[in-house]
Amino acid sequence: MPPTLPFDYHSHHRRCGHAVGEMDHYARAAADAGLTHFGLSDHGPAYWRDGDHAQPATQMAVSEFPRYADDARRVQAAFADRLDVAVGVEADWIDGREDDLGALLDTIPFDYVLGSVHYSRGRSIFRKDWEEVDPLPVFEDYYRQVA
């Protein structure tokens, strides 16, 4: 059996729209499982779209962003005696919107940021309707962005 790693820095919670539970539930489960390090890293807002909660199934609302960070810091403090909790965010990279992403991230002092690429050529890479679009250019662009 391969060795287990005593940490996890990629976690999602109720704010992102595709997970359930509160951050303290995840931190407690991590500590109970013997992890020594744990990261809170819910999906940040869809800063590249108009509106407060433009993508409720995949991103937190813009208005939730500061509350998320405050709640995460409370969890960090509550578990300080048994788990090293880092406060982070998963931030989508959108080509051409680097300044907007930087401005959003500058509003909160995170311990870390997970960069992610979920969109390429204006479409989610998780869409299933590939019979309508040639996937090769989409995924070539995806890997260009990741690199």
Side-chain angles (χ1 to χ4, degrees):
M1 183 168 167
T4 59
L5 300 176
F7 64 87
D8 179 1
Y9 285 102
H10 189 187
S11 63
H12 297 312
H13 324 96
R14 69 166 174 82
R15 280 184 174 94
C16 73
H18 59 275
V20 296
E22 300 297 329
M23 291 182 279
D24 62 320
H25 300 160
Y26 286 82
R28 185 174 302 105
D32 290 349
L35 273 68
T36 58
H37 294 76
F38 183 70
L40 300 167
S41 59
D42 222 336
H43 281 278
Y47 62 90
W48 64 96
R49 300 212 190 267
D50 292 334
D52 180 56
H53 206 184
Q55 295 189 190
T58 60
Q59 319 282 146
M60 74 176 73
V62 173
S63 59
E64 280 291 311
F65 201 45
R67 285 190 288 273
Y68 160 73
D70 290 345
D71 289 350
R73 291 290 178 201
R74 280 192 281 281
V75 171
Q76 184 181 49
F79 284 84
D81 63 335
R82 61 189 285 216
L83 184 65
D84 184 353
V85 176
V87 175
V89 66
E90 182 174 349
D92 272 295
W93 174 265
I94 303 296
D95 245 356
R97 301 298 298 265
E98 299 85 355
D99 290 344
D100 296 328
L101 175 58
L104 176 71
L105 294 176
D106 283 346
T107 64
I108 297 172
F110 288 108
D111 298 327
Y112 72 104
V113 175
L114 288 177
S116 60
V117 176
H118 293 119
Y119 300 91
S120 173
R121 295 183 155 227
R123 64 181 289 123
S124 168
I125 61 166
F126 299 110
R127 288 182 57 176
K128 305 290 189 241
D129 59 345
W130 294 110
E131 63 279 351
E132 298 172 18
V133 175
D134 181 2
L136 184 59
V138 173
F139 282 96
E140 285 175 341
D141 182 62
Y142 166 81
Y143 286 110
R144 178 193 60 77
Q145 292 182 69
V146 169

Coordinates of all heavy atoms in Angstrom, one line a residue, residues 30-107:
A30 N -10.6 16.1 8.9 CA -9.2 16.1 8.6 C -8.4 15.7 9.8 O -7.5 14.9 9.8 CB -8.7 17.4 8.0
A31 N -8.7 16.4 10.9 CA -8.0 16.2 12.2 C -8.2 14.8 12.7 O -7.3 14.0 13.1 CB -8.4 17.2 13.2
D32 N -9.5 14.4 12.6 CA -9.9 13.0 13.1 C -9.2 11.9 12.2 O -8.9 10.8 12.7 CB -11.4 12.8 13.1 CG -12.1 13.7 14.1 OD1 -11.4 14.2 15.0 OD2 -13.4 13.8 14.1
A33 N -9.0 12.2 11.0 CA -8.3 11.2 10.1 C -6.8 11.2 10.2 O -6.1 10.4 9.6 CB -8.7 11.6 8.6
G34 N -6.3 12.1 11.1 CA -4.8 12.1 11.3 C -4.0 13.1 10.4 O -2.8 13.0 10.5
L35 N -4.7 13.9 9.7 CA -4.0 14.9 8.9 C -3.3 15.9 9.8 O -3.8 16.2 10.9 CB -4.9 15.6 7.9 CG -5.1 14.9 6.5 CD1 -5.9 13.7 6.7 CD2 -5.8 15.9 5.6
T36 N -2.2 16.3 9.4 CA -1.5 17.4 10.2 C -1.6 18.8 9.6 O -1.5 19.7 10.3 CB 0.0 17.0 10.3 OG1 0.6 17.0 9.0 CG2 0.3 15.7 11.1
H37 N -1.9 18.8 8.3 CA -2.1 20.1 7.6 C -3.3 20.0 6.8 O -3.6 18.9 6.1 CB -0.9 20.4 6.7 CG 0.4 20.6 7.5 ND1 1.1 19.6 8.1 CD2 1.0 21.8 7.8 CE1 2.1 20.1 8.7 NE2 2.1 21.4 8.5
F38 N -4.1 21.1 6.7 CA -5.3 21.1 5.9 C -5.5 22.5 5.4 O -5.3 23.5 6.1 CB -6.5 20.7 6.8 CG -7.8 20.6 6.1 CD1 -8.0 19.6 5.2 CD2 -8.8 21.5 6.3 CE1 -9.2 19.5 4.5 CE2 -10.0 21.5 5.6 CZ -10.2 20.5 4.7
G39 N -6.0 22.6 4.2 CA -6.2 23.9 3.5 C -7.7 24.1 3.2 O -8.4 23.1 2.7
L40 N -8.2 25.2 3.5 CA -9.6 25.6 3.1 C -9.4 26.4 1.8 O -8.7 27.4 1.7 CB -10.2 26.5 4.2 CG -10.3 25.9 5.6 CD1 -10.6 26.9 6.7 CD2 -11.3 24.8 5.5
S41 N -10.0 25.9 0.7 CA -9.8 26.5 -0.6 C -11.0 26.4 -1.5 O -11.0 25.8 -2.5 CB -8.6 25.7 -1.3 OG -8.9 24.3 -1.4
D42 N -12.1 27.0 -1.0 CA -13.3 27.0 -1.8 C -13.1 27.8 -3.1 O -12.2 28.6 -3.2 CB -14.5 27.6 -1.0 CG -15.7 26.8 -1.2 OD1 -15.9 26.1 -2.3 OD2 -16.6 26.8 -0.4
H43 N -14.0 27.6 -4.1 CA -13.9 28.4 -5.3 C -14.2 29.8 -5.1 O -15.2 30.2 -4.5 CB -14.9 27.8 -6.3 CG -14.5 26.6 -7.0 ND1 -13.6 26.6 -8.1 CD2 -14.8 25.3 -6.8 CE1 -13.4 25.4 -8.5 NE2 -14.1 24.6 -7.7
G44 N -13.4 30.7 -5.5 CA -13.6 32.1 -5.5 C -14.7 32.5 -6.4 O -15.2 31.7 -7.2
P45 N -15.1 33.8 -6.4 CA -16.2 34.3 -7.2 C -15.8 34.2 -8.7 O -14.6 34.3 -9.1 CB -16.3 35.8 -6.8 CG -15.7 35.9 -5.5 CD -14.6 34.8 -5.5
A46 N -16.8 34.2 -9.5 CA -16.7 34.3 -11.0 C -16.5 35.8 -11.4 O -17.4 36.4 -11.9 CB -17.9 33.7 -11.7
Y47 N -15.3 36.3 -11.1 CA -15.0 37.7 -11.3 C -15.1 38.2 -12.7 O -15.2 39.4 -13.0 CB -13.5 38.0 -10.8 CG -12.5 37.2 -11.5 CD1 -11.9 37.8 -12.6 CD2 -12.1 35.9 -11.1 CE1 -10.9 37.1 -13.3 CE2 -11.2 35.2 -11.8 CZ -10.6 35.8 -12.9 OH -9.6 35.1 -13.6
W48 N -15.0 37.2 -13.7 CA -15.1 37.6 -15.1 C -16.5 37.7 -15.6 O -16.7 38.0 -16.8 CB -14.3 36.5 -15.9 CG -14.9 35.2 -15.9 CD1 -15.7 34.6 -16.8 CD2 -14.7 34.2 -14.8 NE1 -16.1 33.3 -16.4 CE2 -15.5 33.1 -15.2 CE3 -14.0 34.1 -13.6 CZ2 -15.5 31.9 -14.4 CZ3 -14.0 33.0 -12.9 CH2 -14.8 31.9 -13.2
R49 N -17.5 37.5 -14.8 CA -18.9 37.6 -15.3 C -19.6 38.7 -14.5 O -19.2 39.0 -13.3 CB -19.6 36.2 -15.0 CG -19.0 35.1 -15.8 CD -20.0 34.1 -16.2 NE -19.5 32.9 -16.7 CZ -19.3 32.6 -18.0 NH1 -19.5 33.5 -18.9 NH2 -18.8 31.5 -18.4
D50 N -20.6 39.2 -15.0 CA -21.4 40.2 -14.4 C -22.3 39.6 -13.3 O -22.7 38.5 -13.4 CB -22.3 41.0 -15.4 CG -21.5 41.8 -16.4 OD1 -20.4 42.2 -16.0 OD2 -22.0 42.0 -17.5
G51 N -22.5 40.4 -12.2 CA -23.5 40.0 -11.2 C -22.7 39.5 -10.0 O -21.6 39.1 -10.0
D52 N -23.5 39.5 -8.9 CA -22.9 39.1 -7.6 C -22.7 37.6 -7.5 O -21.6 37.1 -7.0 CB -23.8 39.5 -6.4 CG -23.3 39.1 -5.1 OD1 -22.2 39.5 -4.8 OD2 -24.0 38.4 -4.4
H53 N -23.6 36.8 -8.1 CA -23.5 35.4 -8.0 C -23.8 34.8 -9.4 O -24.8 34.1 -9.6 CB -24.4 34.8 -7.0 CG -24.0 33.5 -6.4 ND1 -24.8 32.8 -5.5 CD2 -22.9 32.8 -6.6 CE1 -24.2 31.7 -5.1 NE2 -23.0 31.7 -5.8
A54 N -22.9 35.0 -10.3 CA -23.1 34.7 -11.7 C -23.1 33.2 -12.0 O -23.6 32.8 -13.0 CB -22.0 35.4 -12.6
Q55 N -22.4 32.4 -11.2 CA -22.3 31.0 -11.4 C -22.5 30.2 -10.1 O -21.6 29.7 -9.5 CB -20.9 30.6 -12.0 CG -20.8 31.2 -13.4 CD -19.5 30.7 -14.1 OE1 -19.2 31.2 -15.1 NE2 -18.8 29.7 -13.6
P56 N -23.8 30.2 -9.6 CA -24.0 29.6 -8.3 C -23.7 28.1 -8.2 O -23.6 27.7 -7.0 CB -25.5 29.9 -8.1 CG -26.1 30.2 -9.4 CD -25.0 30.7 -10.2
A57 N -23.6 27.4 -9.3 CA -23.4 26.0 -9.2 C -21.9 25.7 -9.1 O -21.5 24.5 -8.8 CB -23.9 25.3 -10.4
T58 N -21.0 26.7 -9.3 CA -19.6 26.4 -9.3 C -18.7 27.4 -8.6 O -17.5 27.2 -8.3 CB -19.0 26.3 -10.7 OG1 -19.3 27.6 -11.4 CG2 -19.7 25.2 -11.5
Q59 N -19.2 28.6 -8.2 CA -18.4 29.6 -7.6 C -19.2 30.3 -6.5 O -20.4 30.4 -6.5 CB -18.1 30.7 -8.6 CG -17.7 30.3 -10.0 CD -16.3 29.8 -10.2 OE1 -16.1 28.9 -10.9 NE2 -15.4 30.3 -9.4
M60 N -18.5 30.8 -5.5 CA -19.2 31.6 -4.5 C -19.5 33.0 -5.0 O -19.0 33.5 -6.0 CB -18.3 31.7 -3.2 CG -17.2 32.7 -3.3 SD -16.3 32.9 -1.7 CE -15.4 31.3 -1.6
A61 N -20.5 33.6 -4.3 CA -20.9 35.0 -4.7 C -19.8 36.0 -4.3 O -19.0 35.8 -3.4 CB -22.2 35.4 -4.0
V62 N -19.7 37.1 -5.1 CA -18.7 38.1 -4.8 C -18.9 38.6 -3.3 O -18.0 38.8 -2.6 CB -18.8 39.3 -5.8 CG1 -17.9 40.4 -5.4 CG2 -18.5 38.8 -7.2
S63 N -20.2 38.8 -2.9 CA -20.5 39.3 -1.6 C -20.1 38.3 -0.5 O -19.9 38.7 0.6 CB -22.0 39.6 -1.5 OG -22.8 38.5 -1.8
E64 N -20.0 37.0 -0.8 CA -19.6 36.0 0.2 C -18.0 36.0 0.4 O -17.6 35.4 1.3 CB -20.0 34.6 -0.3 CG -21.5 34.4 0.0 CD -21.8 34.3 1.5 OE1 -21.0 33.5 2.2 OE2 -22.7 34.9 2.0
F65 N -17.3 36.6 -0.5 CA -15.8 36.4 -0.5 C -15.2 36.9 0.8 O -14.5 36.1 1.4 CB -15.2 37.2 -1.7 CG -13.9 36.7 -2.1 CD1 -13.5 35.4 -2.2 CD2 -12.9 37.7 -2.4 CE1 -12.2 35.0 -2.6 CE2 -11.6 37.3 -2.8 CZ -11.3 35.9 -2.9
P66 N -15.5 38.1 1.3 CA -14.9 38.5 2.6 C -15.4 37.6 3.8 O -14.7 37.3 4.7 CB -15.3 39.9 2.7 CG -16.2 40.3 1.6 CD -16.2 39.2 0.7
R67 N -16.7 37.2 3.7 CA -17.3 36.4 4.8 C -16.6 35.0 4.8 O -16.3 34.4 5.8 CB -18.8 36.3 4.7 CG -19.5 37.5 5.1 CD -21.0 37.3 5.2 NE -21.7 37.1 3.9 CZ -22.1 38.2 3.2 NH1 -22.0 39.4 3.6 NH2 -22.7 38.0 2.0
Y68 N -16.3 34.5 3.6 CA -15.6 33.2 3.5 C -14.3 33.3 4.2 O -13.9 32.4 5.0 CB -15.4 32.8 2.0 CG -14.4 31.8 1.8 CD1 -14.5 30.5 2.1 CD2 -13.1 32.2 1.2 CE1 -13.5 29.6 1.9 CE2 -12.1 31.3 1.0 CZ -12.3 29.9 1.4 OH -11.3 29.0 1.2
A69 N -13.5 34.4 3.9 CA -12.2 34.5 4.5 C -12.3 34.7 6.0 O -11.5 34.1 6.7 CB -11.5 35.7 3.8
D70 N -13.2 35.4 6.5 CA -13.4 35.6 7.9 C -13.8 34.3 8.6 O -13.2 33.9 9.6 CB -14.5 36.6 8.2 CG -14.1 38.1 7.9 OD1 -12.9 38.3 7.7 OD2 -15.0 38.9 7.8
D71 N -14.7 33.5 8.0 CA -15.1 32.2 8.5 C -13.9 31.3 8.5 O -13.7 30.5 9.5 CB -16.3 31.6 7.7 CG -17.6 32.4 8.0 OD1 -17.6 33.2 8.9 OD2 -18.5 32.1 7.2
A72 N -13.1 31.3 7.4 CA -12.0 30.4 7.3 C -10.9 30.7 8.4 O -10.4 29.8 9.0 CB -11.4 30.5 6.0
R73 N -10.7 32.0 8.7 CA -9.8 32.4 9.8 C -10.3 31.9 11.1 O -9.5 31.5 12.0 CB -9.5 33.9 9.8 CG -8.8 34.4 8.6 CD -7.3 34.0 8.6 NE -6.7 34.4 7.4 CZ -5.5 33.9 6.9 NH1 -5.0 32.9 7.5 NH2 -5.0 34.4 5.8
R74 N -11.6 32.0 11.3 CA -12.2 31.5 12.6 C -11.9 30.0 12.8 O -11.6 29.5 13.8 CB -13.7 31.8 12.7 CG -14.0 33.2 13.1 CD -15.4 33.4 13.5 NE -16.3 33.6 12.3 CZ -16.4 34.7 11.6 NH1 -15.7 35.8 11.9 NH2 -17.2 34.7 10.5
V75 N -12.1 29.2 11.7 CA -11.8 27.8 11.7 C -10.3 27.5 12.0 O -10.0 26.7 12.8 CB -12.3 27.1 10.4 CG1 -11.8 25.7 10.3 CG2 -13.8 27.2 10.2
Q76 N -9.5 28.3 11.3 CA -8.0 28.2 11.5 C -7.7 28.4 13.0 O -6.9 27.6 13.6 CB -7.3 29.3 10.7 CG -5.8 29.2 10.7 CD -5.2 30.3 9.9 OE1 -5.6 31.5 10.0 NE2 -4.3 30.0 9.0
A77 N -8.3 29.4 13.6 CA -8.0 29.6 15.1 C -8.6 28.5 15.9 O -8.0 28.1 16.9 CB -8.6 31.0 15.5
A78 N -9.8 28.1 15.6 CA -10.4 27.1 16.4 C -9.7 25.7 16.4 O -9.8 25.0 17.4 CB -11.9 26.8 15.9
F79 N -9.0 25.4 15.4 CA -8.3 24.1 15.3 C -6.8 24.3 15.5 O -6.1 23.3 15.3 CB -8.6 23.5 13.9 CG -10.0 22.9 13.8 CD1 -11.1 23.6 13.5 CD2 -10.1 21.5 14.1 CE1 -12.3 23.1 13.5 CE2 -11.4 21.0 14.1 CZ -12.5 21.7 13.8
A80 N -6.3 25.4 15.9 CA -4.9 25.7 16.0 C -4.1 24.7 16.9 O -3.0 24.4 16.7 CB -4.6 27.1 16.5
D81 N -4.8 24.1 17.9 CA -4.2 23.2 18.8 C -4.1 21.7 18.3 O -3.4 20.9 18.9 CB -4.9 23.2 20.2 CG -6.3 22.7 20.1 OD1 -6.9 22.8 19.0 OD2 -6.8 22.2 21.1
R82 N -4.8 21.5 17.1 CA -4.7 20.1 16.7 C -4.5 19.9 15.2 O -4.3 18.8 14.7 CB -6.0 19.3 17.1 CG -7.3 19.9 16.6 CD -8.5 19.2 17.3 NE -8.7 17.9 16.8 CZ -9.9 17.3 16.6 NH1 -11.0 18.0 16.9 NH2 -10.0 16.1 16.1
L83 N -4.6 21.0 14.4 CA -4.4 20.9 13.0 C -3.9 22.2 12.4 O -4.4 23.3 12.8 CB -5.8 20.6 12.4 CG -5.9 20.4 10.9 CD1 -5.2 19.2 10.4 CD2 -7.4 20.3 10.5
D84 N -2.9 22.2 11.6 CA -2.4 23.4 10.9 C -3.3 23.7 9.7 O -3.2 23.0 8.7 CB -0.9 23.1 10.5 CG -0.3 24.3 9.9 OD1 -0.9 25.4 9.7 OD2 0.9 24.3 9.6
V85 N -4.2 24.7 9.9 CA -5.1 25.0 8.9 C -4.6 26.3 8.1 O -4.3 27.3 8.7 CB -6.5 25.3 9.5 CG1 -7.5 25.8 8.4 CG2 -7.1 24.1 10.2
A86 N -4.5 26.1 6.8 CA -4.2 27.3 5.9 C -5.4 27.8 5.3 O -6.3 27.0 4.9 CB -3.1 26.8 4.9
V87 N -5.5 29.1 5.1 CA -6.7 29.7 4.5 C -6.3 30.1 3.0 O -5.4 30.9 2.8 CB -7.1 30.9 5.3 CG1 -8.3 31.6 4.5 CG2 -7.5 30.5 6.7
G88 N -7.0 29.5 2.1 CA -6.7 29.7 0.7 C -8.0 29.9 -0.1 O -9.1 30.0 0.5
V89 N -7.8 29.9 -1.4 CA -9.0 30.0 -2.3 C -8.5 29.3 -3.6 O -7.3 29.3 -4.0 CB -9.4 31.5 -2.6 CG1 -8.3 32.2 -3.3 CG2 -10.7 31.6 -3.3
E90 N -9.5 28.7 -4.3 CA -9.2 28.2 -5.7 C -9.7 29.3 -6.6 O -10.8 29.7 -6.6 CB -9.9 26.9 -6.0 CG -9.6 26.4 -7.3 CD -10.2 25.0 -7.6 OE1 -10.6 24.4 -6.7 OE2 -10.1 24.6 -8.8
A91 N -8.8 29.8 -7.4 CA -9.0 31.0 -8.3 C -8.9 30.5 -9.7 O -7.9 30.0 -10.2 CB -8.1 32.1 -8.0
D92 N -10.0 30.7 -10.5 CA -10.0 30.4 -11.9 C -9.2 31.4 -12.7 O -9.3 32.6 -12.6 CB -11.4 30.4 -12.5 CG -12.1 29.1 -12.3 OD1 -11.6 28.1 -12.9 OD2 -13.1 29.0 -11.5
W93 N -8.3 30.9 -13.5 CA -7.5 31.7 -14.5 C -8.4 31.9 -15.7 O -8.8 30.9 -16.3 CB -6.2 31.0 -14.9 CG -5.5 31.7 -15.9 CD1 -5.5 31.4 -17.3 CD2 -4.5 32.7 -15.7 NE1 -4.7 32.2 -17.9 CE2 -4.1 33.1 -17.0 CE3 -4.1 33.4 -14.6 CZ2 -3.1 34.1 -17.2 CZ3 -3.2 34.5 -14.8 CH2 -2.7 34.8 -16.1
I94 N -8.6 33.1 -16.1 CA -9.3 33.4 -17.3 C -8.4 34.3 -18.2 O -8.0 35.4 -17.8 CB -10.6 34.2 -17.0 CG1 -11.6 33.4 -16.1 CG2 -11.4 34.6 -18.3 CD1 -12.1 32.1 -16.7
D95 N -8.0 33.8 -19.3 CA -7.1 34.5 -20.2 C -7.6 35.9 -20.5 O -8.8 36.1 -20.8 CB -7.1 33.7 -21.6 CG -5.7 33.2 -21.9 OD1 -4.8 33.4 -21.1 OD2 -5.6 32.5 -22.9
G96 N -6.7 36.9 -20.3 CA -7.0 38.3 -20.6 C -7.6 39.0 -19.4 O -7.9 40.2 -19.5
R97 N -7.9 38.3 -18.3 CA -8.5 38.9 -17.1 C -7.6 38.8 -15.9 O -8.0 38.9 -14.8 CB -9.8 38.2 -16.8 CG -10.9 38.2 -17.9 CD -11.4 39.5 -18.3 NE -12.0 40.3 -17.2 CZ -13.3 40.3 -17.0 NH1 -14.1 39.6 -17.8 NH2 -13.8 41.0 -16.0
E98 N -6.3 38.8 -16.2 CA -5.3 38.7 -15.1 C -5.4 39.9 -14.1 O -5.3 39.7 -12.9 CB -3.9 38.6 -15.7 CG -3.6 37.5 -16.6 CD -4.1 37.7 -18.1 OE1 -4.6 38.7 -18.4 OE2 -3.8 36.8 -18.9
D99 N -5.6 41.1 -14.6 CA -5.7 42.2 -13.7 C -6.9 42.1 -12.8 O -6.8 42.5 -11.6 CB -5.7 43.5 -14.5 CG -4.4 43.9 -15.2 OD1 -3.3 43.2 -14.9 OD2 -4.4 44.7 -16.1
D100 N -8.0 41.7 -13.4 CA -9.2 41.5 -12.5 C -9.0 40.5 -11.5 O -9.4 40.6 -10.3 CB -10.4 41.1 -13.4 CG -10.8 42.2 -14.4 OD1 -10.6 43.4 -14.1 OD2 -11.2 41.8 -15.5
L101 N -8.3 39.4 -11.8 CA -8.0 38.3 -10.8 C -7.1 38.9 -9.8 O -7.3 38.7 -8.6 CB -7.4 37.1 -11.5 CG -7.0 36.0 -10.5 CD1 -8.1 35.5 -9.7 CD2 -6.3 34.9 -11.4
G102 N -6.1 39.6 -10.2 CA -5.1 40.2 -9.2 C -5.8 41.1 -8.3 O -5.6 41.1 -7.0
A103 N -6.7 42.0 -8.8 CA -7.5 42.9 -8.0 C -8.3 42.2 -6.9 O -8.4 42.6 -5.8 CB -8.3 43.8 -8.8
L104 N -9.0 41.1 -7.4 CA -9.8 40.4 -6.4 C -9.0 39.7 -5.3 O -9.3 39.8 -4.1 CB -10.6 39.3 -7.2 CG -11.4 38.3 -6.3 CD1 -12.6 39.0 -5.8 CD2 -11.8 37.1 -7.2
L105 N -7.9 39.1 -5.7 CA -7.0 38.4 -4.7 C -6.3 39.4 -3.8 O -6.0 39.0 -2.6 CB -6.0 37.5 -5.4 CG -6.6 36.3 -6.2 CD1 -5.5 35.6 -6.9 CD2 -7.4 35.4 -5.3
D106 N -6.1 40.6 -4.2 CA -5.5 41.6 -3.4 C -6.4 42.1 -2.3 O -5.9 42.7 -1.3 CB -5.0 42.8 -4.2 CG -3.7 42.6 -5.0 OD1 -3.1 41.6 -4.7 OD2 -3.5 43.4 -5.9
T107 N -7.7 41.8 -2.3 CA -8.6 42.2 -1.3 C -8.5 41.4 0.0 O -9.0 41.9 1.0 CB -10.0 42.2 -1.8 OG1 -10.5 40.9 -2.0 CG2 -10.2 43.1 -3.0

